[in-house]
Amino acid sequence: MKKEKIFLIDAHSFCYRAFYALPQLATSKGMPTGAIYGFISFILRILKDEVPNYLAICFDSSRRTFRTEKFSDYKINRPQMPDELKGQLSKIKELISALNLTSFEYEGYEADDIIATLAKKLSDDGLDVFIVTGDKDMYQLVDKNIKIYSAGKPAQIFDAKKIEEKFGIKPKQIVDFLALAGDASDNIPGAKGIGEKTATKLIKGFNSVDNLLKNLESLSSLSERKKIEDNRENIFMSRELVKLHFEVPIKIKKEDLKVKQPDNDRLLSLFKELEFKSLLKGLDTSSQMQDSSKREDCAEIEVFLEDVRKIKELLLYCDKKEDIYLGSSRYIYHLKKADDRLREVLADKNIKKISDGLKKIKVTLLKDGIDLNGLYLDFSLAFYLIDSGRSDYSLASLSLDYLEKIVDNEYLSPKEAFSLMDELKFVEKELEKRGLKELFFEIEMPLLEVLADLELTGVKIDKEFLENLSIKLEKKINSLKHEIINLAGREFNINSPKQLSQVLFEELKLPIKKRRKSHASTDEEVLRYLAVEYPICQRILEFRQLTKLKTTYIDVLPTLIDKNDKIHTSFNQTVTQTGRLSSSNPNLQNIPIKTDIGSQIRRAFIPSFKNGLLLSADYSQIELRILAHLSEEKNLIVAFKENLDIHSYTASLIFSIDKNEVDDIKRDIAKRVNFGIIYGISPFGLAKDLSIPVEEANEFIDNYFLRYPKVKEFMNSSIESCRKDGFVSTLMGRRRYLPAINSKNMQMRSFAERQAINMPVQGSAADLIKKAMLDIYQEFKDKNFISKMVLQVHDELVFDCAKEELEKIIPIIKDKMENAFKLIVPIRVEIRKGKNWLEMEEI
């Protein structure tokens, strides 16, 4: 019969290890959690991988023990426990309690002695004992029933045989070995001058310290004999310090240490508080999902539709197989094929459609020729407005945080999904309470229809152009590769940071600027710095840039083209924290336009109409105009009202020169300062950006605020308001919560302060273009234009235009974009037209 096993954990050893392994881990409010996360993850791994029958966790109680009374310098080398770790211990103990595990600590005793006492007692009770520790003095406990569990990857188990292989001595000789060799980590002196190799040799030869001391005259080495004689007292004291005690007054039965079912409600609450979302997945919460839905599967469509028409509400759910289910107050209907009656209900604007992914469902239905109108409440969007900092807006994630229910999106049934949706409807009141109802119902929800149309329409791609560009680029990349290898003097893998580091810094002896764990850094910042003096670094930068363009866009875009030579990106409303849209599969927001080859990618985007044109409408310096509005800075207002070149104007102010004296270099500096200010740039950041001394960058920023004092006031006011309220807002009331604004961690606090400055500006720009998109889309629809809006990229809208509609469309676009909001400065839009997205002329 297999013996039951117990695991005894040396808590402090693993708390320290986790603390130093994950120093930056913290909650969004700035609470350090690295030690907590690392330790509890480790305990959960032990429970899962080893499935112990019993488990106990042992802590040190204080630095004062019977050992410090014998030897005041015992462990004196060890620094005091850091405050950041001390603060995490209480939560670790709370989690241990929630796991229904037993922990021990006894005043005057170390965790090692508690473990020794438990190991002896439980071994005698017939259990297989596994001690989880990193301390080698614990090896003295190993016998036929007690083993050391070394928690590496993979884990190793040390029995008596393995210890003898590792140290060359038996477990029972470990005490005598350490008495001679000492232990620097615990400040155990041992015999000065006797190292581990000599100690091993002596113990193997004489079997014990006592026998060694009795037979010192037989030692052939006079030097060793003297060291031992001189350190006799230290050897005896060291042996006493290393010896573990088996008499800690523990009154416990083995049944008390049985591994039990955890308290999942407490774990749920603690994991949520600590923001350990990855650990939540491991909880067994099958009993927590209380399905309150009374809905039944209904085969009779007429009964289902009658219920929908009565309540004027229809829930929709798309499962992982992309099957769509419809829910009324009483019934669930699996949408396989829509007859005319169902189409009518889906298209009815007066029946509220509610789901957690309405855009995806609308696009799916439109592909089948089914129109979905009356889009009313999308939970993902609603909770995005409440908390834009979330990474997950799925039903499972929302249910966890707002309903304290753990469900798995993969296996969520329609009945469970609709039940959760019913409970999440409280979000409507929450939007009203936070002043977000107008933004939600007048901007975000209507925008779903616009984005669905953009996604379905797609944009046409010149596939042949991209294929030719790919061939051209391949030649250029190969040419660069040969140049780099020639400059290096040998062949190597340019894409391997380690091999590249070896070539640059070990063989070519280039100066090292930054280090990684295993090699000197070859990141872009380092290479840019070195490229000024070393041509090989310039070539590597070009090689990387071209390789990335080729593999990310030029070779990928043709694979995404449909039968009409169009690509259909997906527009995301819930990804950025400022309200800006993002796109994916492919990501068209990040196509580089500042390099020659990068901008060539835009050449591949072409109109779909015969003799048609692409139209680009781009807001001119919209963020600086919004900054002028928010700050009410008179100098900025004058500049925009008089339609001055804002960067030349700023340069004339910060350099105290006439605007006619501003050259390209000074204008570029002013441009970087103008945009840097919006992002809360520091003198250090500006210095790095401009490659100038920090003092000079600081002078530019000081001069900027001297000329634009109201901007500085706005920035300070935004930070202070955020400290008080916990959030900042855009012109339309969009909020971004920044709990780290009051963090004690300077890095986190500084980042939050920069966001507090940037969000009202960038977020308002996002609201503005969304409003413009809605107005243009509606006007195009009302006038039955065949021309289409096809892309939104940052502050730019792109239109696929029929030539005959161009003259009607241009004034509509300009009017709707420039008048979406009213600012105290004019809004300007630059409109260009062309046969592709690159080669365009201004209108």
Side-chain angles (χ1 to χ4, degrees), residues 5 45 80 164 227 260 290 367 372 397 434 478 520 557 566 584 629 737 829-830:
K5 57 185 177 182
R45 180 155 61 90
Q80 289 285 341
E164 194 162 358
K227 286 172 186 173
K260 299 180 277 291
Q290 301 297 322
K367 285 176 182 175
L372 182 68
S397 179
R434 298 180 189 221
N478 284 333
L557 290 178
K566 287 186 173 186
S584 54
H629 177 88
Y737 287 86
V829 172
E830 295 170 355

Side-chain angles (χ1 to χ4, degrees), residues 26 94 213 295 309 317 341 363 454 484 503 576 698 740:
E94 275 188 65
L213 292 169
R295 294 180 184 85
R309 291 190 190 101
Y317 173 61
R341 293 169 298 172
V363 169
L454 263 69
I484 292 164
V503 167
T576 72
N698 194 51

Side-chain angles (χ1 to χ4, degrees), residues 147-207:
K147 301 169 186 70
I148 300 295
Y149 183 93
S150 178
K153 286 187 179 179
Q156 290 185 72
I157 294 169
F158 285 91
D159 57 12
K161 186 181 176 185
K162 266 204 170 181
I163 287 172
E164 194 162 358
E165 286 170 7
K166 182 179 172 72
F167 291 100
I169 53 177
K170 295 180 172 63
K172 65 181 181 182
Q173 295 174 314
I174 290 287
V175 172
D176 285 352
F177 163 77
L178 291 172
L180 289 176
D183 188 345
S185 64
D186 288 344
N187 203 35
I188 291 170
K192 193 175 179 183
I194 299 291
E196 290 192 356
K197 281 187 180 177
T198 306
T200 302
K201 178 190 77 175
L202 292 172
I203 295 301
K204 283 177 82 171
F206 291 90
N207 201 38

Side-chain angles (χ1 to χ4, degrees), residues 419-436:
S419 172
L420 294 171
M421 288 183 199
D422 283 337
E423 293 187 70
L424 289 169
K425 284 178 186 173
F426 74 85
V427 73
E428 212 176 325
K429 288 182 181 174
E430 194 63 31
L431 289 169
E432 189 167 14
K433 185 174 147 189
R434 298 180 189 221
L436 295 166

Side-chain angles (χ1 to χ4, degrees), residues 9 11 15 39-40 43 55-59 89-104 262-263 266-267 270:
I9 316 284
C15 287
F39 183 79
I40 293 304
I43 296 296
L55 189 141
I57 299 165
C58 305
F59 289 88
L89 283 180
S90 60
K91 281 293 173 205
I92 287 173
K93 289 173 183 177
E94 275 188 65
L95 282 163
I96 289 168
S97 174
L99 285 164
N100 277 328
L101 298 173
T102 306
S103 64
F104 296 95
D263 183 339
R266 278 182 72 196
L267 279 182
L270 285 165

Side-chain angles (χ1 to χ4, degrees), residues 125 175 224 331 575 787:
D125 286 349
V175 172
E224 286 174 11
Y331 305 107
V575 172
S787 300

Side-chain angles (χ1 to χ4, degrees), residues 515-529:
R515 286 197 172 275
R516 296 278 180 248
K517 279 186 179 179
S518 60
H519 59 271
S521 173
T522 60
D523 67 16
E524 186 176 345
E525 184 185 1
V526 169
L527 291 179
R528 286 203 179 283
Y529 179 88

